[in-house]
């Protein structure tokens, strides 16, 4: 067994070594508005560059930092949008209801496509006849206008999804599976599994599809035609050009799904970077914590100003009643009324902390990368999700038994203290976390090697019809076996109807006979 494993590793290494010579031109387009998703694409891009590929990246200024050997095209206008968003507190509007959210999203996506395509650097690239690209890597978000680049350069299109997979990603990957679809926006989506919730959630996803079809796509089509001059039909055709879809998730973290062979799980891609080291003081605090450590962080993107009012006070009061030591990541270093067991850090070496044996619990906003890191280290979580995919990320680890979730808007000191104490006293969360961690780590190749191998696979094998599920071959009626269900129902119905008819005739005869006997 061990020998075979060594052989496998060796041959994979050789595979990754070979064809270094076949360098390709790769274009990556990542107009993200916050920093976390860049941690996912960065290791992949860096490795592709060191393997001799010519990589060009279109991103905002400063996000990510320059990567060696990579040509960066920075779209300054994207940074303006980020500034606009933070200054106007638009983020908070995303929590109100799904219609405001959809309207805002449509505008933001229109602006993003427009900003990129009209950027001077991108325009220069488009007009330079010597430019060519073999592969274009994009997040499978709704920036449909950018698919024009795929046609323009006759390139292969590959998706890199930094968030959890939803119905839209499944659709673009050509993996239809309505029964396991999840929404893009969690606002108003029910987590229960009752019939009523399921019907409601189906309607919720249908509404998202309608918004996509009626609002997002027409706006993108406008830009698609303005910048490329292709037909509307072309844009629809390009939507099904995704050859591979790399997704930042792993089945151990949630539900097992039936995926077509072009959906590749690379969850944990960002773990290939070495963890940040801890400074001496923090290390001492971790080592000396005899009662264990609780690590509290709301991630990189949530500033204190987005948190509900008084939450800081409530947390400080709760933490003061605990014996455990607390590491609190916050941009507000000055907290006058904090108790002695609380240690505040501005930049926490999160993975280093989570890997420390004294850490018992991670209180988190449920950002995907944080959840992946806690799963990797096997640390139980208490989730306080606030935006976007955080609700869904926490839901799956909660169902698996390594986490609990609380509503941050109705938090009070008693329930919070009780939940924390319950999670620390009850061993089951810890054991589950360790078990899941083992599943998460046990793979034939690291997530980064997997991503690199499949990216080069997409470069070698450009005929995507061999990789994607051919939807024409599985019409809806056959996929759900509606025809056989109908045939079965018909036969069952016929038999049932004959039986009922028989019983009814017998009953009639019996009644007639009764009447004759007792007139
Ligand atoms: C990559 O870029 C270098 C330097 O610009 C160039 O010499 C080389 O031909 C490029 N490779 C490909 C595959 O185009
Ligand atoms: C989109 O761009 C317009 C015009 O520049 C701007 O007024 C608007 O605030 C932007 N909307 C979003 C959601 O970025
Ligand atoms: C596009 O690329 C494919 C595969 O490399 C090639 O067979 C085809 O001829 C190219 N089409 C054009 C118009 O260059
Ligand atoms: C804290 O520790 C003390 C002494 O070990 C113990 O008596 C007490 O019950 C602990 N309190 C909590 C809240 O666990
Ligand atoms: C521990 O927690 C789990 C999950 O909440 C629960 O099923 C179990 O009964 C608890 N055990 C104890 C001893 O409280
Ligand atoms: C791609 O593969 C399909 C199905 O195997 C085949 O019918 C088609 O001719 C191939 N296309 C090219 C350009 O080789």
């Amino acid at each position: 067994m061990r020998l075979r494993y060594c052989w496998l590793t060796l041959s994979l290494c050789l595979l990754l070594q070979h064809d270094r010579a076949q360098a390709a031109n790769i274009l990556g387009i990542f107009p993200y508005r916050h920093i976390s998703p860049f941690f996912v694409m960065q290791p992949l891009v860096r490795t592709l560059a060191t393997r001799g590929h010519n990589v060009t990246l279109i991103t905002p200024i400063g996000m990510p930092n320059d990567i060696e050997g990579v040509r960066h095209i920075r779209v300054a206008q994207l940074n303006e949008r980020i500034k606009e968003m933070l200054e106007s507190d638009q983020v908070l509007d995303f929590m109100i209801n799904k219609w405001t959210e959809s309207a805002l999203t449509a505008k933001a996506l229109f602006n993003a496509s427009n900003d990129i395509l009209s950027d001077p650097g991108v325009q220069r690239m488009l007009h330079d006849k010597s430019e060519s690209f073999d592969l274009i890597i994009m997040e499978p978000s709704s920036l449909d206008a950018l698919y024009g680049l795929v046609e323009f350069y006759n390139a292969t299109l590959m998706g890199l999804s930094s968030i959890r997979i939803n119905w839209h990603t499944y659709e673009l990957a050509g993996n239809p599976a309505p029964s396991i679809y999840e929404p893009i926006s969690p606002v108003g989506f029910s987590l229960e599994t009752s019939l009523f919730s399921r019907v409601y959630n189906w309607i919720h996803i249908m509404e998202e599809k309608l918004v996509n079809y009626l609002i997002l796509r027409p706006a993108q089509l406008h830009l698609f035609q303005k910048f490329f001059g292709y037909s509307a039909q072309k844009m629809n055709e390009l939507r099904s050009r995704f050859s591979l879809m790399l997704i930042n998730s792993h089945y151990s973290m949630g539900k097992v799904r039936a995926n077509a062979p072009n959906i590749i799980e690379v969850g944990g891609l960002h773990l290939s970077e070495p963890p940040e080291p801890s400074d001496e003081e923090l290390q001492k605090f971790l080592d000396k914590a005899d009662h264990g450590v609780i690590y509290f962080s709301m991630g990189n993107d949530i500033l204190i100003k987005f948190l509900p009012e008084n939450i800081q006070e409530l947390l400080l009061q709760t933490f003061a009643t605990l014996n455990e030591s607390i590491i609190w990541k916050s941009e507000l270093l000055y907290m006058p009324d904090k108790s002695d067991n609380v240690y505040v850090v501005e930049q926490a070496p999160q993975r280093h902390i989570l890997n420390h044996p004294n850490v018992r619990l991670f209180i988190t906003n449920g950002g995907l990368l944080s959840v992946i890191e806690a799963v990797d280290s096997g640390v139980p979580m208490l989730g306080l999700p606030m935006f976007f995919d955080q609700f869904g990320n926490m839901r799956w680890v909660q169902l698996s038994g390594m986490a609990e979730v609380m509503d941050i808007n109705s938090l009070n000191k008693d329930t919070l203290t009780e939940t924390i104490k319950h999670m620390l006293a009850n061993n089951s969360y810890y054991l589950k976390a360790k078990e899941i961690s083992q599943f998460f780590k046990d793979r034939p190749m690291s997530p980064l090697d997997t991503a690199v191998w499949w990216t080069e696979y997409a470069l070698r094998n450009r005929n995507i019809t061999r990789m994607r599920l051919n939807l024409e071959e599985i019409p809806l009626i056959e996929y759900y076996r509606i025809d056989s269900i109908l045939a079965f129902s018909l036969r069952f119905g016929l038999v049932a109807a004959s039986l009922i008819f028989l019983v009814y005739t017998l009953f009639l005869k019996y009644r007639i006979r009764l009447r004759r006997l007792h007139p």
Side-chain angles (χ1 to χ4, degrees), residues 21-26 52-55 134-135 459:
Q22 299 176 11
N25 289 320
I26 301 175
H53 299 295
N54 285 354
V55 185
D134 307 298
L135 178 74
L459 279 165

Side-chain angles (χ1 to χ4, degrees), residues 243 462-470:
S243 62
R462 297 197 55 189
N463 187 351
I464 62 164
T465 45
R466 291 197 181 275
M467 247 180 283
R468 283 175 64 103
L469 204 56
N470 186 357

Side-chain angles (χ1 to χ4, degrees), residues 64-84:
N65 289 333
D66 281 2
I67 301 174
E68 206 187 311
V70 169
R71 173 174 60 155
H72 288 274
I73 299 180
R74 305 287 192 175
V75 180
Q77 197 58 29
L78 291 171
N79 297 72
E80 287 302 308
R81 303 293 179 204
I82 299 171
K83 233 168 76 192
E84 270 170 34

Side-chain angles (χ1 to χ4, degrees), residues 78-132:
L78 291 171
N79 297 72
E80 287 302 308
R81 303 293 179 204
I82 299 171
K83 233 168 76 192
E84 270 170 34
M85 184 178 79
L86 289 176
E87 275 166 8
S88 68
D89 284 353
Q90 267 176 18
V91 179
L92 297 178
D93 295 341
F94 275 99
M95 289 165 39
I96 299 169
N97 71 55
K98 61 185 167 203
W99 298 114
T100 10
E101 183 179 337
S102 308
L104 262 175
T105 308
K107 256 193 236 145
L109 289 170
F110 178 87
N111 286 357
S113 286
N114 194 28
D115 294 342
I116 291 169
L117 291 173
S118 59
D119 180 72
V122 174
Q123 278 298 322
R124 249 195 317 276
M125 178 186 90
L126 284 169
H127 285 105
D128 184 346
K129 292 273 179 293
S130 67
E131 296 275 6
S132 74

